């Protein structure tokens, strides 16, 4: 787990020129806090402690302003910058090296059950963008602010 956190901290330094110290990143980056808490809630989700996983994700949203469903799949070196209002639904599948900014929504467009895959790898998504429905975002994609895909 500590290896993952170290990797997450390194990804903050790679993508945010305002990051000055490891202590600052650990204490002042809600995107990092949301990611750490998602790892824990995701483990609880897959261990069939569904209510506890949802409750922990609810507490994480309250502290960070970032909502990540415990059933969402998230890859390595995921970075949320200025994360207030980010929503990641249960069916989202996010690959490695993805960056999201404030107000981004990854969600479905129907009431049907089952995976509505949004698989991202090395992608960037500007503030306010909405990625909805069964869609695959390819490697190196850049989605502009307030875009609807």
């Amino acid at each position: 787990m500590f290896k993952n956190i170290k990797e997450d901290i390194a990804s903050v330094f790679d993508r945010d020129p305002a990051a000055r110290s490891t202590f600052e990143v650990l204490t002042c980056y809600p995107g990092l806090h949301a990611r750490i808490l998602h790892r824990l809630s995701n483990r609880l989700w897959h261990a069939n402690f569904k209510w506890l996983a949802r409750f922990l994700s609810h507490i994480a949203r309250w502290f960070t302003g970032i909502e990540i469903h415990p059933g969402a799949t998230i890859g390595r070196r995921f970075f949320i910058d200025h994360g207030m209002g980010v929503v990641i639904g249960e069916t989202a599948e996010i690959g490695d090296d993805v960056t999201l900014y404030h107000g981004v929504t990854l969600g479905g467009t129907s009431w049907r059950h089952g995976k509505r895959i949004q698989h991202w790898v090395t992608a960037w998504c500007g503030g306010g963008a909405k990625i909805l429905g069964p869609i695959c975002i390819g490697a190196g994609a850049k989605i502009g602010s307030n875009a609807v895909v």
Side-chain angles (χ1 to χ4, degrees):
M1 180 173 189
F2 291 110
K3 179 184 157 215
N4 291 333
I5 294 171
K6 285 176 74 173
E7 193 172 60
D8 290 339
I9 292 168
S11 74
V12 171
F13 284 112
D14 288 343
R15 299 182 209 160
D16 186 358
R20 290 182 287 279
S21 71
T22 300
F23 182 74
E24 177 186 39
V25 170
L26 279 171
T27 57
C28 300
Y29 276 71
L32 178 66
H33 303 150
R35 180 64 181 115
I36 291 168
L37 290 168
H38 173 262
R39 278 196 185 99
L40 180 55
S41 68
N42 185 260
R43 285 185 184 160
L44 290 169
W45 184 262
H46 290 293
N48 213 26
F49 293 100
K50 306 287 189 195
W51 179 87
L52 187 58
R54 290 293 304 263
F55 186 71
L56 179 60
S57 70
H58 178 73
I59 297 299
R61 179 183 66 172
W62 189 67
F63 278 109
T64 65
I66 299 166
E67 181 176 341
I68 306 175
H69 191 284
T73 303
I74 299 177
R76 296 171 53 201
R77 296 174 303 275
F78 175 63
F79 178 52
I80 301 172
D81 198 6
H82 305 289
M84 185 61 74
V86 167
V87 177
I88 300 172
E90 177 184 3
T91 60
E93 292 184 9
I94 302 170
D96 298 339
D97 301 305
V98 172
T99 302
L100 301 181
Y101 287 91
H102 64 280
V104 170
T105 299
L106 306 179
T109 58
S110 74
W111 292 91
R112 287 181 300 180
H113 293 279
K115 280 289 184 189
R116 296 177 298 257
I117 297 173
Q118 294 105 16
H119 187 80
W120 302 35
V121 180
T122 318
W124 176 93
C125 187
K130 310 300 178 219
I131 314 301
L132 306 170
I135 187 167
C136 183
I137 307 297
K142 292 186 178 184
I143 298 168
S145 296
N146 293 317
V148 178
V149 181

